[in-house]
Amino acid sequence: MICTGCSCLCDDIVVDGGVRNACRRGAGIFRFVNEGRAKPMINGEVVDFEKAMDAAGDIIGNSEKLAVYGLDTTTVEAQQKAIELAKTKEAYIDDNSSFCLGDFVELILKEELPTTTLDEVRNNAYVVFYWGTDVYHSLSRHMSRFTYYPRGGKRQRGYEEDRFLVVVDVRRSHTAKLAKKNARFIEVGDDLELIDAILKVLDGKAPEKFAKDAVRIVKEMQKADFNVIIGGLGLKYGLKGDYQQFLEFVRRVNEVTNLYFIPAGCHPNMRGFNQLLFEKTGHVNRYSFRDEEAGEKFAFPKLLEDGEIDAALIVGTDPVNSLPFDIAKKLKDIKTILIDPRQSLTAEIADVVLPSAISGLETGGTMIRIDGVKVELAPFLEKKPDDVSIISSLLEAV
Amino acid sequence: MGLKFAKFIRKIETEVVVARDSFQVEAADRGKLSEEFVKKSAVLYITEEFGKKNALREGEIVKVTRGGRSVNLRVVYNDTAPSEGAMMPNSIYANYLTDFDSFKRFRVTIEIADGNVTTPSEIIELIKSG
């Protein structure tokens, strides 16, 4: 079984009365598969599914400025249909990556940031950075399956001798607490200061801050020909939009050894959406089919903030829970259709709720792991309708 | 019953970091209006040292305010919280206080409050009422 709890897409889950091998998050998805499920609703009233579908069709049909948003927890096949729908309606389309790790994925897809797969990391990586991410909580099996603890390929002696872990964070997270043997925890206030310190060491200069850490890290990286940064939201927001400084840092390190980057994205199929949209438009998110271009002004939160849309089709995400309140409250100014397996907080305010099957557990399809590896899902239950059939029906209706 | 003099004088200004918590994410699968989700989300994590220094006891309800908006959260000691500051799980509570200019780190004031923690429904009602 594949677990679709996060972007690791663990493929060794066994469900046999209990749930084996899964992390806390993954096990929860299986154990609570029947809890908190959404019901078809119109304006908070439970209705027949068909009636809710008709209402959703009407909203989309009548919308002149539609946004399609979310899609990071559904399959590539459903994302494909959603992109088709957005194109047909000349709508905007965006996912959570526009305020998550989409910038890094775009740099990877444009080949401006060297990347690798998690399997290559398991077999080859020596220095493993976790930068601005507490994977102990967000990607709980990342360290044991792919990076620090496992033995593999050139790294047969595992973390005891064959890995060097660097955790960079603003606090001593649970991941940072694991940085004991062959490891460094670096507490930063400003991530750019650490980048600057490492660049100074590469220039043969003594940095004012992080001198000891920066020297050690460069020395350790030079011991191997394969090192990797797993970068999370802490790094994204720590860079304050200065990706050039980060790219320069990676480029300079790559003059003396090999350093790769993999985003620490949480959503199981964010990479799938980014990659699919990139193949079709040359952009990973924030795209307007009306304008045939991408940009910050087409990010879903910005469209809401600026009052640029009259309706939204939200798929498998919960903006009431995840967007800043000033933006989330604008959802009440537009018509909203929510497709989601669970009764989320957004379901509480949506005009129409369409319950769907849980991707990977109740319906099959494809997802793309955060490192770009394609994964075929193997559902253990069957439930209809799924996201593909719902979005296809809406597409037919318009 | 002890007099709560400190209630009238304690108002701490500090930084909050927003973080993932696998226990809270697990609870989300049981429903974001569930008691379990609220218990894991309506919390302000601080280290015991920070708590003692600022007279914030574990289990106390505090009013956390930023930019004129407040939520009531329960204080929980946690040794992974920032040494000088606090931590909140990523949820409707953190996002009620934040904006994209300081999405995952922002400054707040903390003061002792009466009553219970804020519920997600209270924030949703604010959205519904415009």
Side-chain angles (χ1 to χ4, degrees):
Chain A
M1 288 277 317
I2 309 288
C3 172
T4 52
C6 75
S7 67
C8 289
L9 296 175
C10 292
D11 59 2
D12 58 349
I13 310 303
V14 179
V15 182
D16 55 359
V19 182
R20 287 190 281 148
N21 299 335
C23 66
R24 177 179 303 281
R25 160 73 174 140
I29 291 178
F30 291 93
R31 285 167 55 216
F32 309 132
V33 64
N34 293 319
E35 292 190 30
R37 300 302 296 256
K39 293 185 173 71
M41 290 199 290
I42 299 175
N43 297 325
E45 298 291 322
V46 177
V47 296
D48 289 342
F49 184 82
E50 290 308 318
K51 204 172 170 187
M53 277 297 289
D54 290 345
D58 288 345
I59 289 173
I60 292 175
N62 293 329
S63 171
E64 289 176 2
K65 289 179 173 181
L66 176 73
V68 180
Y69 174 62
L71 300 157
D72 295 332
T73 57
T74 191
T75 60
V76 169
E77 291 78 7
Q79 292 169 344
Q80 173 88 33
K81 289 290 173 192
I83 292 171
E84 269 180 59
L85 175 61
K87 192 174 178 184
T88 306
K89 283 291 294 181
E90 293 190 332
Y92 308 101
I93 192 161
D94 193 19
D95 73 333
N96 292 289
S97 74
S98 63
F99 60 93
C100 187
L101 297 171
D103 294 341
F104 285 121
V105 176
E106 185 156 8
L107 290 169
I108 286 168
L109 293 175
K110 287 180 173 171
E111 298 182 359
E112 292 176 35
L113 193 53
T115 193
T116 185
T117 66
L118 290 166
D119 307 287
E120 289 294 320
V121 169
R122 183 198 297 116
N123 290 335
N124 298 296
Y126 177 60
V127 177
V128 177
F129 288 82
Y130 280 108
W131 198 323
T133 178
D134 184 11
V135 289
Y136 178 95
H137 284 286
S138 57
L139 307 166
S140 299
R141 298 183 73 207
H142 207 269
M143 291 177 84
S144 60
R145 291 197 74 213
F146 304 117
T147 62
Y148 184 52
Y149 294 115
R151 286 157 170 74
K154 284 198 225 169
R155 303 288 159 203
Q156 290 299 325
R157 288 171 296 174
Y159 78 101
E160 293 94 334
E161 293 178 46
D162 258 349
R163 311 272 191 202
F164 189 85
L165 176 67
V166 180
V167 180
V168 183
D169 210 320
V170 295
R171 64 190 174 92
R172 190 176 283 276
S173 64
H174 278 112
T175 305
K177 282 176 182 290
L178 297 172
K180 289 175 184 166
K181 192 174 180 191
N182 298 330
R184 264 294 204 269
F185 165 56
I186 305 173
E187 189 167 347
V188 290
D190 181 345
D191 299 72
L192 290 169
E193 286 178 350
L194 178 61
I195 290 171
D196 186 57
I198 296 173
L199 284 172
K200 281 209 168 83
V201 172
L202 291 168
D203 285 337
K205 295 175 188 165
E208 287 165 21
K209 293 188 87 171
F210 304 114
K212 208 173 156 187
D213 288 326
V215 169
R216 176 78 190 273
I217 288 168
V218 170
K219 204 171 142 191
E220 292 294 339
M221 281 197 288
Q222 285 178 311
K223 283 184 187 172
D225 61 356
F226 196 115
N227 308 290
V228 66
I229 295 175
I230 314 293
L233 274 185
L235 174 61
K236 176 198 161 81
Y237 285 100
L239 292 176
K240 305 177 191 92
D242 192 353
Y243 290 100
Q244 282 313 311
Q245 176 82 342
F246 184 69
L247 289 175
E248 173 63 7
F249 155 72
V250 174
R251 190 189 66 76
R252 290 292 312 283
V253 173
N254 273 296
E255 286 175 356
V256 295
T257 180
N258 292 316
L259 177 63
Y260 303 95
F261 182 89
I262 298 177
C266 295
H267 295 97
N269 201 24
M270 183 188 88
R271 174 77 182 245
F273 176 80
N274 291 153
Q275 215 159 292
L276 195 59
L277 193 65
F278 187 80
E279 282 164 16
K280 291 177 186 303
T281 68
H283 303 279
V284 297
N285 53 27
R286 299 178 281 211
Y287 191 75
S288 165
F289 279 102
R290 178 179 309 218
D291 303 273
E292 295 186 333
E293 60 174 312
E296 184 56 42
K297 62 184 175 182
F298 303 131
F300 182 69
K302 188 76 180 140
L303 292 167
L304 271 178
E305 193 175 18
D306 295 345
E308 285 295 324
I309 48 178
D310 59 16
L313 174 63
I314 299 164
V315 185
T317 192
D318 191 3
V320 167
N321 189 56
S322 60
L323 291 182
F325 177 79
D326 274 338
I327 294 168
K329 72 180 182 188
K330 303 246 175 181
L331 285 165
K332 275 314 279 181
D333 298 342
I334 63 169
K335 293 285 182 190
T336 48
I337 304 158
L338 175 69
I339 303 175
D340 203 306
R342 308 266 188 199
Q343 181 70 12
S344 67
L345 300 184
T346 303
E348 299 291 316
I349 63 133
D351 293 279
V352 177
V353 179
L354 298 166
S356 62
I358 300 176
S359 299
L361 272 70
E362 298 170 328
T363 184
T366 314
M367 287 194 179
I368 309 290
R369 206 168 66 182
I370 195 65
D371 56 348
V373 171
K374 193 173 168 182
V375 177
E376 292 298 332
L377 305 177
F380 79 116
L381 298 170
E382 196 176 330
K383 189 177 168 77
K384 290 282 176 192
D386 59 13
D387 294 338
V388 175
S389 62
I390 294 172
I391 300 169
S392 298
S393 298
L394 293 174
L395 184 57
E396 279 169 29
V398 299
Chain B
M1 197 175 87
L3 290 173
K4 283 191 172 178
F5 288 120
K7 177 180 168 182
F8 301 104
I9 56 171
R10 270 188 270 160
K11 196 166 188 176
I12 304 146
E13 189 185 336
T14 194
E15 186 178 71
V16 166
V17 174
V18 180
R20 291 257 171 193
D21 172 9
S22 56
F23 293 88
Q24 181 236 16
V25 174
E26 181 194 30
D29 281 332
R30 309 192 79 166
K32 287 179 184 158
L33 293 171
S34 70
E35 205 176 301
E36 191 66 14
F37 182 75
V38 174
K39 191 178 162 191
K40 297 285 195 303
S41 303
V43 287
L44 187 73
Y45 290 116
I46 56 172
T47 63
E48 192 172 350
E49 294 71 31
F50 185 81
K52 282 180 178 165
K53 197 165 84 180
N54 292 287
L56 293 171
R57 286 186 293 270
E58 190 161 44
E60 273 182 327
I61 304 295
V62 287
K63 182 178 168 186
V64 182
T65 305
R66 178 172 186 260
R69 280 205 289 269
S70 304
V71 286
N72 281 6
L73 307 174
R74 188 176 302 280
V75 172
V76 174
Y77 288 164
N78 184 307
D79 63 0
T80 66
S83 48
E84 284 299 321
M87 181 170 79
M88 285 174 73
N90 184 32
S91 76
I92 190 169
Y93 297 102
N95 289 314
Y96 185 63
L97 301 176
T98 194
D99 54 46
F100 276 127
D101 291 332
S102 38
F103 194 32
K104 299 294 173 190
R105 285 170 81 178
F106 47 85
R107 293 199 72 77
V108 297
T109 57
I110 303 169
E111 56 196 309
I112 300 295
D114 292 321
N116 292 318
V117 297
T118 305
T119 63
S121 300
E122 289 175 64
I123 299 173
I124 288 168
E125 279 309 311
L126 293 172
I127 293 177
K128 283 181 177 173
S129 62

